Amino acid sequence: MDIYASDEEKAEEIKQWWRDNGRSVIAGIVIGVIAVFGGRYWLNFQQVQAEQASVIYQQSVAYISQNDSEAAQAATQELMQNYASTAYAVFAALQMAEVSVNQGELSTAEDFLYWVKDNAELGSHRELARLRLARLKFSQDDNEQALELTAASETSAFNSLFAELEGDIKFAMGDTDAARAAYQKAALSLAAGEPRQRLLQMKMDDVAAHES
């Protein structure tokens, strides 16, 4: 706009600019308003979902304390189906997996753990489920599947635990060289002074004794 134009010329220029750009300006305002209110709606929806999931999770905990595993499993299934994006669904599934193991229902436990591994948003939750699955497979002498799970680790935070489990599996399979290497890897992944270092040293001593 020319700063030396007369007031009438300026007014006409403004009118013309509005005729040319008015629709896009209004559209931008509308989109902005929708974004603001849409964002608030989404946050409110997420909060309501979390609150509802929390209530159902607490119910599942109560059912377990009452030894009503059937009701606890139904509550967990509801969380997994309708509140899968919440951490409560993960907590409940991990909890029911443990209950199922204690009851000897290993295939049911696997189903819960696989769900967490495949659906949890946090890597730490997926890794925990993967580790427990690998241990469960190892307990059933399914060593190959257990090794596949240990090799699929996604984060360095679980390196030591997966390496230790790999050592246990290799030792059970009679591969003492691989077992020793895995235990050494597990020990090196620990910070100095961690209690598990003593356990890993005991396992390496067992390997050495087996070889002598």
Side-chain angles (χ1 to χ4, degrees), residues 82-197:
N82 301 324
Y83 303 90
S85 62
T86 69
Y88 293 106
V90 171
F91 297 153
L94 290 172
Q95 176 180 257
M96 280 308 303
E98 184 176 357
V99 170
S100 299
V101 168
N102 292 336
Q103 294 178 339
E105 299 173 357
L106 302 187
S107 62
T108 301
E110 287 184 9
D111 290 341
F112 284 118
L113 292 173
Y114 272 116
W115 185 90
V116 175
K117 182 181 75 69
D118 296 335
N119 292 277
E121 292 187 2
L122 293 181
S124 58
H125 291 157
R126 294 194 299 271
E127 290 290 75
L128 180 58
R130 181 178 286 107
L131 180 64
R132 291 182 180 180
L133 264 174
R135 287 173 174 168
L136 189 55
K137 293 292 187 182
F138 178 44
S139 72
Q140 300 174 78
D141 296 322
D142 190 351
N143 294 331
E144 293 301 328
Q145 184 63 40
L147 285 173
E148 287 184 17
L149 287 163
T150 61
S153 176
E154 298 175 344
T155 63
S156 60
F158 283 73
N159 278 353
S160 181
L161 291 169
F162 278 113
E164 180 183 355
L165 180 56
E166 180 185 354
D168 293 343
I169 298 168
K170 291 294 187 179
F171 188 48
M173 296 173 69
D175 191 344
T176 54
D177 289 339
R180 184 189 308 104
Y183 289 142
Q184 290 173 342
K185 178 182 177 182
L188 290 173
S189 299
L190 293 175
E194 286 196 33
R196 282 186 55 243
Q197 287 183 329

